[in-house]
Amino acid sequence: MDLKGKHVILASGSPRRRELLAGLGIEFEVDTNTCFKEDFSPVIPHSEVPALMSEGKSHGFWRPLEKGEILITSDTMVLLDKFIMGKPSSREEAEDMLLKLSGRVHEVITAVTIRDAVHEETVTDTTMVTFRELSREEIDYYIDTCRPYDKAGAYGIQEWIGYAACTGIEGSFYNVMGFPVHKVYEELVKFAGYE
């Protein structure tokens, strides 16, 4: 992809986001240095939280952007019955999340903020994911094997649980991985054209 000499910075430590951005044929550097602390008011509508977090990460970037630089930040949230599932902080929390997701349909909402020295755009994508009923043994096996503590909702769709338990996806698969690359591509094309 020709970005007309623009320098892309991905401000995310997620290996999935790095892999997906690289899949677009884009050269970029990773710089996760930020002063942003993830926190939000409980009165904010849940569907707006990922955009708020993504924009906060963008504006918390440690330095001003120079001309020709494009910064990408992102945030993913799993939502079940209006309950936000972030990254589990313990095995017990991961087990609890997966038990709640078992046999249910849930939403995965990802927001991406793309910013240069002058322009800023945040896009959001939502995917509906269906899991079959999971046994306690299956949940234990998945947690022991994949250790999904760095993933919202305690799972990665590209891992064992996606192969064995996901019975339906309505929307972008890559959005569930944490990066709606089709929307990122569309925005980068726009940003490449800015003077």
Side-chain angles (χ1 to χ4, degrees):
M1 178 181 181
D2 180 14
L3 289 178
K4 299 174 183 172
K6 302 290 174 76
H7 178 68
V8 176
I9 303 165
L10 177 64
S12 172
S14 164
R16 275 88 48 197
R17 291 188 182 125
R18 290 199 295 268
E19 175 191 342
L20 293 173
L21 185 58
L24 289 177
I26 293 169
E27 289 188 17
F28 61 93
E29 73 164 297
V30 175
D31 188 339
T32 59
N33 197 346
T34 181
C35 61
F36 179 67
K37 302 286 184 248
E38 294 188 39
D39 191 28
F40 57 89
S41 166
V43 300
I44 293 169
H46 292 138
S47 60
E48 296 175 16
V49 170
L52 186 72
M53 295 296 100
S54 181
E55 289 164 1
K57 291 173 184 178
S58 181
H59 290 281
F61 191 63
W62 66 281
R63 62 172 176 81
L65 294 177
E66 297 176 8
K67 191 175 190 306
E69 290 183 325
I70 300 173
L71 180 70
I72 301 175
T73 53
S74 187
D75 190 78
T76 299
M77 178 182 77
V78 172
L79 189 62
L80 177 71
D81 297 334
K82 304 198 184 311
F83 175 69
I84 294 174
M85 293 185 172
K87 297 172 184 175
S89 58
S90 65
R91 183 188 177 85
E92 292 72 27
E93 196 173 359
E95 286 176 353
D96 183 60
M97 287 181 183
L98 292 171
L99 281 168
K100 285 185 168 84
L101 293 173
S102 174
R104 303 287 308 281
V105 179
H106 62 274
E107 287 179 80
V108 179
I109 305 170
T110 300
V112 179
T113 301
I114 300 176
R115 182 168 66 88
D116 63 17
V118 179
H119 313 90
E120 179 177 339
E121 189 67 44
T122 297
V123 293
T124 302
D125 202 29
T126 301
T127 304
M128 306 301 293
V129 181
T130 305
F131 277 2
R132 67 165 174 77
E133 291 278 351
L134 289 159
S135 68
R136 175 76 71 164
E137 291 76 21
E138 288 172 324
I139 289 171
D140 286 342
Y141 171 79
Y142 173 65
I143 294 172
D144 289 341
T145 305
C146 297
R147 304 188 57 76
Y149 302 112
D150 64 336
K151 299 173 181 72
Y155 80 92
I157 196 73
Q158 72 281 8
E159 296 174 338
W160 179 88
I161 203 164
Y163 293 108
C166 178
T167 60
I169 292 181
E170 184 181 333
S172 166
F173 174 84
Y174 297 115
N175 185 57
V176 186
M177 282 180 69
F179 207 56
V181 281
H182 62 293
K183 290 199 169 186
V184 173
Y185 178 82
E186 290 171 4
E187 290 303 319
L188 285 174
V189 168
K190 290 182 201 170
F191 273 72
Y194 293 142
E195 292 299 325

